[in-house]
Structure formats: C-alpha cells, structure tokens
Amino acid sequence: MSQNALSTEECPHCHEEALVLDQKCTNCGFPIEGSKEAQQVFLDKTEAIQKRVTETQTYVKWAVGLLYFIGMLYIFIFLRLNLTLKVKISGTLLGVPYVALGLIASRFKPHLIFLVALGFYLFTEFVLTSWISLPITLFNQVWAKVIVVSMLVIGSIAAYYSENLKKKLPKY
Ligand SMILES: [Zn+2]
C-alpha cells in the first residue's frame, strides 16, 4: 500500500474502520503500517499512560469518598444528636453541599469541584463557625483539618493530571 495515499482499513488496535495517515490509524494513533517495534512502542506507551491514569484516579476516588463522608457525617450526626431544632437544621444543611459536590465531582471536572469543596470547607470551618456560635465544626482536631485539606488538594491535582493524561490516550 502506498504510504502517501489515504486508505481506510480496520485498525487492529481500536477495531474502527479508520483512515490511515502517515502509516497511523487516525482514530487511535496505532502505527498500522509501522514496524512491529513501532507498534510495540505504541502499545507500551499506551499501557504506561493507562496505568498512571488508574493510579491518579485512585486519589480522585478517595477525594470523592471524603466529600460523601463529610456530608453524611454532618447529616446523620446532626439528625441524631439531641440539639435544638435550629442547630439540627443548620448542621444537616451543611452536609448537603458536600454530598452534592461529591456527586458532581464523580461526573464532571473533579479538579475544579474539589477546589470549590475546599473553599466551602475552609469557609464553614473558619468563618461560619466564628460568625454564628453553633457547634457545627466536626473536625476540631488540627490533624483532621490537615487530612481533609490535603485529600482535597491532592485529589484536585490528581484529577487535573489524570484529565491531561487521558488526552494522550487513544479515543475509542
Ligand atoms: Zn485505531
């Protein structure tokens, strides 16, 4: 087959009927007409990227899990505690945004959503609690605050990194 001519054939890698341009599948980049070595290099590279995406996604899942955890903690603790109705409602309502942000982050732009969640967390922990004297802070211990902040920051970086890595992966 001429290397200059455009041809379509079924790609053995992505199984799409794809254009072959510059010896490569235009859908996934697999060097269909390249050497066995070139094909192996492509497969190794794709596998390495896929592995790093999986690794970074672990941090993203932990951060999403943390948001659900904080949200549920607020909701269940304040519903169960023997508090005045006002405190009960305030505490329970504070849990809702965390659950909502967790739901959004598992589907849409997690790196931004984690930063929004971090902002909301810092606001409730350090600003809101000093404005209104409600026992709404659940993380009195400094180490607990450090863990929450770290997990959200790491989750945001991992999500951003992961989204950029995915752009380098073939589109199937
Ligand atoms: Zn392909």
Side-chain angles (χ1 to χ4, degrees):
M1 205 172 294
S2 163
Q3 288 181 8
N4 297 323
L6 290 179
S7 59
T8 73
E9 56 184 278
E10 196 193 313
C11 171
H13 187 65
C14 68
H15 304 290
E16 288 289 320
E17 191 65 36
L19 262 181
V20 179
L21 192 65
D22 196 18
Q23 303 187 337
K24 292 173 188 159
C25 164
T26 49
N27 184 53
C28 72
F30 182 72
I32 297 178
E33 294 170 1
S35 63
K36 274 269 170 281
E37 287 74 25
Q39 294 183 345
Q40 195 54 49
V41 166
F42 174 87
L43 294 176
D44 290 347
K45 199 176 148 200
T46 306
E47 196 188 334
I49 296 173
Q50 189 61 59
K51 206 173 149 220
R52 275 155 78 198
V53 167
T54 310
E55 282 164 8
T56 52
Q57 283 299 318
T58 307
Y59 294 104
V60 175
K61 281 179 195 152
W62 274 98
V64 169
L66 175 73
L67 293 181
Y68 288 145
F69 176 73
I70 297 176
M72 290 303 177
L73 210 58
Y74 271 117
I75 292 167
F76 288 113
I77 285 182
F78 282 93
L79 279 180
R80 290 181 63 93
L81 282 182
N82 195 12
L83 299 162
T84 64
L85 189 62
K86 191 183 159 199
V87 177
K88 243 184 208 299
I89 292 170
S90 313
T92 306
L93 282 180
L94 275 176
V96 176
Y98 288 106
V99 177
L101 288 170
L103 277 170
I104 300 168
S106 57
R107 284 161 185 79
F108 176 76
K109 292 220 183 284
H111 71 279
L112 288 178
I113 303 302
F114 292 147
L115 292 181
V116 171
L118 180 63
F120 182 70
Y121 173 74
L122 294 175
F123 176 74
T124 53
E125 289 293 304
F126 296 103
V127 181
L128 207 59
T129 45
S130 58
W131 281 353
I132 44 173
S133 52
L134 294 175
I136 51 172
T137 178
L138 290 176
F139 302 95
N140 286 319
Q141 305 293 327
V142 173
W143 61 263
K145 292 189 203 298
V146 170
I147 288 176
V148 171
V149 171
S150 311
M151 280 179 76
L152 289 176
V153 170
I154 291 169
S156 180
I157 295 168
Y160 182 73
Y161 189 55
S162 183
E163 280 160 37
N164 281 315
L165 278 176
K166 277 188 207 160
K167 284 179 196 156
K168 293 182 192 164
L169 278 177
K171 285 150 194 72
Y172 300 117

